[in-house]
Amino acid sequence: MAIIMNDDITLNTDTPTPSTEKEQFEQAALHYHEFPRPGKISVTPIKQLANQRDLALAYSPGVAVPCLEIQRDPSLAAKYTARSNLVGVITNGTAVLGLGNIGPLASKPVMEGKGVLFKKFAGIDVFDIEIAQNDPDKFIEAVASLEPTFGGINLEDIKAPECFKIERELRKRMNIPVFHDDQHGTSIIVAAAMLNALIITNKKIEDIKIICSGAGAAAISCLDIICALGVNKNNIYVSDSRGIISTTRENLDETKQRYARETTATTIEELMDDVDMFLGLSMPGTLTEDMVRRMAKDPIIFALANPTPEIMPEIAHAVRPDVIMATGRSDYPNQVNNALCFPYIFRGALDVGATTVNEEMKVACVRAIAAMAHVEATPISNIKNVESTPSFGRDYLIPGPLEPNLIIEIASAVAKAAMDSGVATLPIADMKAYRQRLSEFVYNSAFVMKPIFARAKADPKRIVYCEGEDRDVLLAVQVVVDEQLAYPILVGRPSVIENNITKLALRLKDGENITIVNVDDDPRYNDYWKGYYEKNKRTGVSIELARRDVRRKTSLIGALLVENGDADGMICGTFGHYQLHLKYVSRVINKKEGINDFYAMNAVLMQDRNIFIADTYIHEDPTAEQLAEMTVLATEQLRRFSITPRVALVSHSNFGTSDRASAVKMRKVHQLLTEMNVDFEFDGEMQGDAALDEHIRANDLPSSNLKGSANLLILPTLDASNIAFNLLKTATGSASIGPILLGASKPVHILTPSATARRVVNMTALAVTEAQDLENKQQ
């Protein structure tokens, strides 16, 4: 059974093979949480502790200095501690999404997961705190006492109506943002989607009639915010588990009383005639086909029960083709996903030292999200695929949760609203510079592969795997099939491949979700070896050698499949030497027009930055001209990841401090790139620390045109590049991408025997996007 890990896929050999896809997924979830270390989070020091002086500065006696400064001026805690970037995710486990009242300990995996999202999406540190206390007053006391620790509090999975009182009282007592995400996260996304749906349907917000199924924390918060935006409360009818909330109902809490109406109706079915919008935060099956049929023209249905909505989109569309649908699911358009907002609201609030998250900040978030749907989605490459780029419309009311510019637009809008409303204690003087800083976080995000995956899924291509019998390749291919990233073609012996599929308990079937190319009996064999011979007969390839190699060299077979149009891209190299694979690839696949050579680049995906390094595998001692050509090719790949290239030409020398051959060579690369008038930032030659730390660079060469930390390192030799890559990857425990083959005219990548199954998946997605761009260019 395939279990996806952080950077690998491991096989569970201690437990019985699960018989169903659901059981496989459940087992995968358990392994994900257990290995390589239990849980999903850790606390990592950000300062060195390498010698006695560091110890003296970090603890006694040095630590006393900032302590006394903070005692004198408490606002300095933001300067000398991590508090201003630390959020408490706090729960008592009484209303865990989809699981109910499972208690604080059982809810801990959910809270750790929330911490992961905060860190990955917005760079915010989290302590998750699970409190064994159901009494709201005692819970309030416990949380309020934690104010010195945190810059903000994210309340999570607390049942209604207690959650309303808890948030209200904590906001009164605490001088930091307190935000109950179950309420406000959902409501902000719903409100943004509603505003855009009204634009499409040309309906006025003050006139629309709304039925809301559900009266929990999220539902009430949704109603509050859409009323703040202009919906007439008298046009809203709300139903809970007992039916319509009317003024004749008894024992209503304050939140439900706000939406009680004078009506004799007891069910939503009685009120569905000419309803403009249905908002569902209740249970599956609440909305029937007949109810949808009776709704007004261009009905808006937000069916947000998870995992099964109040009505399935395909059923609603069958009844009313003019319907606009949103759900909480990722497999349908218009997913209402809290991850669209909560990390970025806190990012903006923390960055200005906000004392609360007020209505102005929430409305600013709503309008920022709504506006982003009207803007062209962030391009994934410099060749635009118009058909696969989402644009504003019925199926694109809100941006996707992986849109990289969310942090830029939402955090800056929230920060500005906090300043304008007077709750910011650390106002930002230069918003343009702040937005630039947020953009740098996007480029350094460990989610660098996400836009690549999104593009690959939109238009999968045929990718051939030359080592089709390999265990890790097969595990990767199962993920590729499940994620619908590509149409896999496996080269190998069918009996061996199928036997390994059975041993690994995979769901791969030749002719259904994979294609097997039989190396012993392929009908294209004669055409392939003859074509290979004709192309290489004057480079030492005889007829007999061509016949033999096209039967047994799987990298050669894969390259011929791509070259002859029987595959769109290729992955090879999971065993054997890199240069051997490159030999067969180069005999079949041409270089790009105007390019003189092939090059290899790897990327290390670190917690706080992504670093690309070249040339890691091909040229032992490249010339300055080769390095300049390689640099241009490498920057094109960085842009494919939506990363703005910042190039450092790395050497042992710093801006002319040495005249050794390697330093002179890197100096010449700078000259060549200058003469080429390239459209990216670069500088060098410079030492490695100067490449990654602009403060060092500023001291050595204040006039340098390279700003920030370099994300592409060009090194003088293969030894330097390969050693730097492997040391950096291993020392930081980071995931990696590559090797990425540069200069080929077709999407071909040669991996290494150390490549994990996860890396094979990553490179598959990359190859698919390259195939898409090549297809667009040819068209």
Side-chain angles (χ1 to χ4, degrees), residues 484-743:
Q484 300 179 351
L485 295 172
Y487 304 115
I489 301 170
L490 304 179
V491 177
R493 295 162 292 177
S495 60
V496 176
I497 293 174
E498 289 167 0
N499 186 48
N500 287 341
I501 288 173
T502 301
K503 286 181 179 178
L504 296 171
L506 302 179
R507 290 163 281 109
L508 303 175
K509 292 185 179 179
D510 186 21
E512 292 186 15
N513 51 21
I514 61 170
T515 300
I516 296 176
V517 173
N518 186 349
V519 293
D520 294 325
D521 184 21
D522 188 274
R524 295 162 292 198
Y525 169 71
N526 284 330
D527 291 337
Y528 276 12
W529 80 254
K530 290 175 182 177
Y532 176 61
Y533 167 72
E534 285 298 323
K535 189 170 185 176
N536 293 277
K537 61 187 178 182
R538 293 187 180 275
T539 59
V541 176
S542 65
I543 290 177
E544 183 57 31
L545 185 62
R547 284 174 170 163
R548 282 190 285 123
D549 282 353
V550 175
R551 190 70 88 182
R552 64 184 183 180
K553 303 298 183 183
T554 58
S555 292
L556 175 57
I557 296 170
L560 288 166
L561 285 164
V562 174
E563 182 65 18
N564 285 280
D566 294 319
D568 302 306
M570 140 184 176
I571 305 293
C572 69
T574 55
F575 61 79
H577 296 293
Y578 189 97
Q579 291 294 335
L580 185 61
H581 292 284
L582 181 62
K583 179 179 78 171
Y584 290 113
V585 167
S586 63
R587 284 178 173 176
V588 176
I589 304 296
N590 295 324
K591 302 178 186 70
K592 287 183 178 179
E593 185 177 352
I595 299 301
N596 296 312
D597 227 321
F598 295 111
Y599 309 94
M601 176 173 69
N602 284 77
V604 182
L605 309 184
M606 301 164 66
Q607 182 67 36
D608 61 341
R609 70 183 77 201
N610 302 312
I611 297 178
F612 291 76
I613 302 173
D615 176 7
T616 44
Y617 284 98
I618 297 178
H619 295 283
E620 184 175 354
D621 188 11
T623 66
E625 289 76 14
Q626 287 176 317
L627 290 174
E629 180 177 75
M630 178 182 69
T631 302
V632 174
L633 290 170
T635 60
E636 292 174 0
Q637 280 289 5
L638 264 68
R639 290 192 172 107
R640 183 179 301 280
F641 291 93
S642 295
I643 295 174
T644 300
R646 296 191 294 273
V647 182
L649 308 174
V650 183
S651 170
H652 70 278
S653 171
N654 235 14
F655 305 112
T657 59
S658 170
D659 285 326
R660 290 181 178 175
S662 64
V664 172
K665 177 169 66 174
M666 300 310 289
R667 211 170 300 154
K668 185 177 180 182
V669 177
H670 181 276
Q671 177 187 338
L672 292 170
L673 292 174
T674 303
E675 292 170 355
M676 293 165 67
N677 195 27
V678 294
D679 61 346
F680 51 83
E681 292 182 17
F682 68 95
D683 210 343
E685 83 284 12
M686 68 179 73
Q687 293 176 351
D689 55 354
L692 301 181
D693 189 336
E694 66 177 331
H695 300 293
I696 295 174
R697 194 162 60 248
N699 288 332
D700 290 338
L701 190 69
S703 61
S704 174
N705 62 358
L706 177 61
K707 307 303 179 186
S709 175
N711 51 30
L712 173 57
L713 307 183
I714 304 298
L715 287 88
T717 65
L718 185 148
D719 276 352
S721 299
N722 191 277
I723 291 170
F725 163 65
N726 282 296
L727 284 177
L728 197 59
K729 177 187 68 170
T730 306
T732 61
S734 299
S736 63
I737 302 173
I740 300 170
L741 185 63
L742 306 174

Side-chain angles (χ1 to χ4, degrees), residues 419-459:
M419 292 189 290
D420 291 345
S421 60
V423 298
T425 62
L426 301 169
I428 296 169
D430 187 344
M431 285 299 293
K432 183 178 180 181
Y434 177 60
R435 288 175 63 90
Q436 175 60 31
R437 182 153 59 88
L438 292 173
S439 72
E440 290 180 2
F441 174 82
V442 173
Y443 300 139
N444 290 338
S445 168
F447 277 67
V448 67
M449 283 301 302
K450 294 301 180 182
I452 301 294
F453 277 104
R455 262 198 81 194
K457 288 182 180 183
D459 186 17

Side-chain angles (χ1 to χ4, degrees), residues 63-142:
V63 73
V65 181
C67 287
L68 293 173
E69 286 294 294
I70 294 168
Q71 182 187 36
R72 178 181 60 81
D73 180 0
S75 69
L76 293 176
K79 184 176 182 180
Y80 297 124
T81 75
R83 181 175 184 262
S84 63
N85 195 52
L86 184 62
V87 166
V89 173
I90 304 180
T91 189
N92 60 8
T94 54
V96 179
L97 180 64
L99 300 174
N101 187 354
I102 61 175
L105 183 59
S107 73
K108 188 171 178 63
V110 180
M111 302 308 116
E112 287 188 357
K114 195 83 172 192
V116 170
L117 297 181
F118 266 109
K119 187 66 176 180
K120 293 294 186 181
F121 282 121
I124 295 171
D125 295 317
V126 162
F127 289 162
D128 65 288
I129 298 178
E130 295 75 32
I131 300 177
Q133 185 54 260
N134 290 352
D135 183 314
D137 292 322
K138 293 180 179 178
F139 186 90
I140 290 166
E141 289 296 328

Side-chain angles (χ1 to χ4, degrees), residues 328-349:
R329 293 173 50 143
S330 61
D331 53 346
Y332 290 100
N334 300 324
Q335 182 193 16
V336 175
N337 188 330
N338 289 13
L340 266 171
C341 70
F342 73 82
Y344 316 118
I345 286 180
F346 273 97
R347 181 72 279 158

